[in-house]
Structures are given as structure tokens and as C-alpha cells.
Amino acid sequence: MNILFIADPLAGFKTYKDTTYAMMREMAARGWSLSHTLSDQLSVQNGTVFAHASAVRFAAAPSSDRAVWYKPWTWGGAEGTPPSGGDWFVAGESVQAALSTFDAVIMRTDPPFDLQYLYATQLLTLAEAQGARVFNSGQAMRDFNEKLAILNFSEWIAPTVVTTRAQTVRDFLAEQGDIIIKPLDGMGGAGIFRLTAQDPNIGSILETLMRLDTRTIMAQRYIPEISAGDKRVLVIGGEVIPYALARIPQQGETRGNLAAGGRGVAQPLSARDREIAENLAPELQRRGILLAGLDIIGDYLTEVNVTSPTGFQEIAAQTDCDVAAVFVDALQAACNA
């Protein structure tokens, strides 16, 4: 298999936790060929979608014994801190290649979902029409804004409004008493605020986040169960991974995101977690979403992440579930379908 990753610069990967890195490591252990490009290296020439891509190999061959990959981390048989920066990979010269010449194209560029990201998804859709196999599909990434996507599954969500008007948020706050507000294009907990009716900074926060009624945001009823973790539930190839990664906020913090200092604890899915995930799984698969990360707080779905869902390494390190292997199996099945 010859796989192209469209992802952020490899030298910036935090290899001890990066999910894209875990995918690449599993593929390399199976003898697959890997290439890498950036989303801004896509182009169309004579109607064909190309990428300036570099072949990538690991600086040391990943162990064939997957059990040692996570517990503890090993490199070349020695325990310790994994390589970082440019130490873990060797990249070849950049060459131009049509996306349709790869067995699969994996889109893993991190948000924000800005205009450049939008243009990239449109080029990916064109490439799919030319025979490229793209995961997740360009259409799915456009359709599934990670915040707004939950509105397609309203029976599983807490009270929610989406608006550009600060007064609508104020009315919602008066009704609910305790809410979360967040932008639609962020990641890692950036720009998320908790508001109560007694907060003296309501006006200032709304002006800052909504830019004087010119920016659309989402407001949701605050879910107190966040103290037990914001659970990331992975759905791969229409199948639900049996463990969630509960991202537990620091003391005094509302956000559980790992990027905001949350602590990741793998745990078996609750009955409600599984119910939500199994109900969404067929529709996600129908939409061309090979990998989705559902965020569930308490009994409520809060986000559907499809751009670059994470959590593979944390779950694998704490359980008997090798998530990267499950993903690569699902990718191979999708390519063979």
C-alpha cells in the first residue's frame, strides 16, 4: 500500500501522543510506503489534482512487537522518551504526484477550518472524482463542522443555540442559568467560555467572542458531568472502539481538552456512550467518514470531530486496544471495497 498523508509539518509532531504518528508507525510496521505533503501543496494542472509530496521513512524501523509501542514507549528496543522534531523520520526529495496514484490519501491537517482548509477539501473532492481514495472524504469534512454536526443528531444533545446575536445568547443564558459558549472553528478548547447569570463580564465576553454580532457561535447548556471528563469516543469504519478517553479538567478549569491541560483517562464505554455512538456510526459511514471522534459529556453528544480526531495513543497505552491497528485494518478494507 502506498499512502499519502496530508498533515501538518512532521517535525512538529509530539510523537509520544500524536495520532497521525501512530497511524504512520502501524503502516510502516506492515511494510507500507508513506508520503507526506501539506494542504497548501495541492494543485490542479491540466484538470488533475497533484501534490508536491515527499516519501517518508522512519529513522529506525518500528518494532514488529506492537505491545512495546505503548507500555512503555520504546525506540530501537530501548525504553525512554520517543524521538521528537526531525529525529524520528527521514524525508525524501519533494516530487509532484497525482493524488489518484496513491492507494489512499489521509487528510489529517489540524483545524481551524479556514478558507485554505475549505479550498483543500474542494480539491480533494475533485481528486476523488478522478479516482483518488480520500479519508475522510472532502465532502464529509465540509459538511461536518465539528460543532454544527451535532445538530444532525438532535435527540442526543443538550439544549443548544447557534447565533450571531449576543441578545439571543443572553436570552438563552437567562433560560438555562449556566451555559458554555464557543466558536465554530476552534480546536483544543480555544475560545470556550462558561457563563452564569451572575457573571459580571457577560458583555465583554460576548463582544470579544462574537465580535459585535459579526461572528457565529454555539451556546450549550452547561453539563456538570464535565468534572468526570469530556469523553472522546472513536468510531472507525462504522465500528465503535470499546474504550473512551475521558479528558478530565484540571482543578478550577471548565475545559477537559488535553491541549488545555486536561488529564486523559481511558475507560470502558458506558451504556449511554455506546448507544450514542452506535446510532451515529451508520450515518457517519454513509457520509464517507472512516474516522470520527465523538465528544460526549455525561449523557450528551457535544461534538463530532472529523478533521483530525485524536486519542489513539492514550487509549492504547492504558488498555488492550491497539487503535492504530484497528484504523489501518479499516482503511485497508475501505480501499479494497
Side-chain angles (χ1 to χ4, degrees):
M1 296 279 283
N2 185 17
I3 309 298
L4 174 64
F5 280 86
I6 305 173
D8 295 328
L10 301 181
F13 280 19
K14 295 181 174 64
T15 54
Y16 63 92
K17 68 174 184 177
D18 193 281
T19 287
T20 305
Y21 172 82
M23 294 174 177
M24 297 178 78
R25 184 173 56 189
E26 173 66 25
M27 293 174 188
R30 298 187 186 198
W32 294 11
S33 298
L34 306 176
S35 295
H36 171 264
T37 192
L38 304 173
S39 63
D40 62 9
Q41 294 299 306
L42 300 178
S43 65
V44 178
Q45 300 179 44
N46 297 320
T48 300
V49 182
F50 287 88
H52 278 283
S54 300
V56 176
R57 63 178 176 83
F58 279 68
S63 168
S64 60
D65 181 4
R66 293 175 177 83
V68 306
W69 285 5
Y70 304 105
K71 304 174 182 176
W73 208 101
T74 64
W75 184 259
E79 295 183 13
T81 303
S84 60
D87 295 338
W88 66 271
F89 70 93
V90 177
E93 182 180 352
S94 178
V95 297
Q96 187 168 268
L99 267 61
S100 58
T101 62
F102 295 92
D103 293 305
V105 177
I106 312 296
M107 177 57 159
R108 291 285 300 175
T109 301
D110 284 341
F113 195 110
D114 53 15
L115 283 176
Q116 179 59 43
Y117 201 113
L118 174 63
Y119 301 149
T121 67
Q122 292 172 330
L123 295 185
L124 291 176
T125 296
L126 178 60
E128 289 176 274
Q130 297 167 357
R133 299 179 180 91
V134 181
F135 305 96
N136 291 322
S137 77
Q139 184 70 51
M141 286 185 288
R142 285 195 302 280
D143 287 351
F144 271 71
N145 172 279
E146 305 196 326
K147 311 299 189 294
L148 294 178
I150 65 170
L151 302 177
N152 293 285
F153 311 103
S154 58
E155 64 269 37
W156 308 110
I157 68 176
T160 299
V161 298
V162 176
T163 183
T164 54
R165 298 185 64 247
Q167 186 57 52
T168 301
V169 178
R170 288 180 179 274
D171 293 343
F172 184 67
L173 175 58
E175 175 186 316
Q176 300 295 330
D178 196 348
I179 65 173
I180 292 291
I181 59 173
K182 53 189 174 183
L184 300 180
D185 58 355
M187 65 171 290
I192 294 178
F193 293 89
R194 178 184 178 185
L195 291 180
T196 64
Q198 294 75 37
D199 196 312
N201 299 304
I202 294 173
S204 179
I205 290 172
L206 293 180
E207 289 171 10
T208 300
L209 191 62
M210 304 182 75
R211 298 172 186 167
L212 300 175
D213 287 3
T214 63
R215 185 191 197 193
T216 304
I217 62 101
M218 174 175 283
Q220 296 172 301
R221 185 178 71 195
Y222 176 70
I223 305 169
E225 289 83 358
I226 182 61
S227 61
D230 181 352
K231 295 170 286 185
R232 168 60 54 84
V233 177
L234 297 169
V235 181
I236 299 176
E239 299 297 323
V240 180
I241 296 298
Y243 298 95
L245 183 67
R247 296 158 297 171
I248 300 172
Q250 294 187 53
Q251 184 69 31
E253 174 63 77
T254 299
R255 302 167 298 170
N257 309 74
L258 300 182
R263 177 170 56 93
V265 177
Q267 59 189 40
L269 299 186
S270 69
R272 176 68 171 184
D273 296 339
R274 182 170 291 280
E275 182 183 21
I276 292 172
E278 289 182 346
N279 273 273
L280 267 61
E283 178 64 10
L284 296 173
Q285 190 170 36
R286 188 186 73 80
R287 296 286 193 107
I289 299 171
L290 182 69
L291 168 62
L294 312 181
D295 288 351
I296 299 173
I297 301 175
D299 290 338
Y300 298 101
L301 176 70
T302 61
E303 291 187 15
V304 179
N305 297 273
V306 301
T307 52
S308 56
T310 60
F312 281 29
Q313 296 212 56
E314 293 88 348
I315 292 174
Q318 299 176 48
T319 72
D320 59 356
C321 183
D322 188 343
V323 189
V326 174
F327 173 80
V328 175
D329 286 345
L331 174 66
Q332 188 161 25
C335 290
N336 292 338

